[in-house]
Amino acid sequence: MEKNQDIRDAIKEARLKQWQVADIYGLSEGNFSRMLRKELSLTKKEKVFAAIEKARKGIN
């Protein structure tokens, strides 16, 4: 199983692209992708899930 699979699945489920979530999170797509290579802390995961929700709702 890939690292941060829950985040990757949530992005797919929301029909988003990583760049959309990365933009709201405040990183470039490349840096966001690299960040997901290692398992994130609970605090960072919460921030990513909040960014996914904002992107899903179209809120910047």
Side-chain angles (χ1 to χ4, degrees), residues 8 11 14 16 33 40 49:
R8 296 171 197 276
I11 292 171
L16 297 168
S33 179
L40 298 178
F49 282 120

Side-chain angles (χ1 to χ4, degrees), residues 2-11 39 45 49:
E2 258 186 304
K3 307 272 189 215
N4 299 299
Q5 190 62 47
D6 52 346
I7 291 172
R8 296 171 197 276
D9 291 343
I11 292 171
E39 195 64 33
K45 279 192 178 207
F49 282 120

